[in-house]
Amino acid sequence: QVQLVESGGGLVQAGGSLRLSCTLSGRTFRWYAMGWFRQAPGKEREQVAAIGDGDSYYADSVKGRFTVSRDNAKNTVYLQMNSLKLEDTAVYYCAADRRSPREWGVPVYWGQGTQVTVSS
């Protein structure tokens, strides 16, 4: 069974940076496309970024500020978040699926989420 554990959330001032990490266990990491979603209070969950086998995808709202990467040797996917804005405040979730991100509707596996709060 796939398990995903996120870390790296916290409180940061606007304009600052955070890096989220998500480690997959229970299956072979390189088989999975990985993604990051977020949900702010009162808003729908949105996909932020995803990375497959050499391809990556970003929501328009984070392009140029966020970078998704993966380290197959460490079974870990990262989300580097720079130039953070107040509207980036949300619970961030890691997700995994063996399908390409282009085929995702709702990924199969989810982490527990980590809170990111951006203050003014």
Side-chain angles (χ1 to χ4, degrees):
Q1 183 71 8
V2 170
Q3 291 186 321
L4 301 173
V5 178
E6 302 108 330
S7 61
L11 175 65
V12 63
Q13 285 192 323
S17 298
L18 279 177
R19 188 177 78 158
L20 305 183
S21 301
C22 172
T23 300
L24 183 150
S25 62
R27 289 293 185 270
T28 301
F29 179 74
R30 67 177 184 273
W31 293 350
Y32 291 84
M34 304 295 296
W36 291 95
F37 291 71
R38 67 185 180 187
Q39 188 165 21
K43 294 188 176 181
E44 294 187 354
R45 182 178 59 197
E46 66 168 335
Q47 182 171 329
V48 174
I51 184 166
D53 185 14
D55 51 349
S56 57
Y57 306 86
Y58 296 94
D60 288 342
S61 58
V62 306
K63 280 181 181 177
R65 300 188 298 122
F66 290 12
T67 303
V68 62
S69 62
R70 63 189 295 158
D71 186 337
N72 288 345
K74 295 183 178 180
N75 295 349
T76 300
V77 62
Y78 304 98
L79 185 68
Q80 178 66 44
M81 305 185 293
N82 298 330
S83 302
L84 283 161
K85 304 176 180 180
L86 297 179
E87 53 263 42
D88 294 319
T89 296
V91 178
Y92 283 71
Y93 297 90
C94 175
D97 197 303
R98 292 197 65 173
R99 297 170 296 171
S100 166
R102 288 172 292 184
E103 302 173 24
W104 286 4
V106 178
V108 174
Y109 301 103
W110 293 84
Q112 81 286 356
T114 185
Q115 177 71 46
V116 171
T117 303
V118 183
S119 65
S120 58

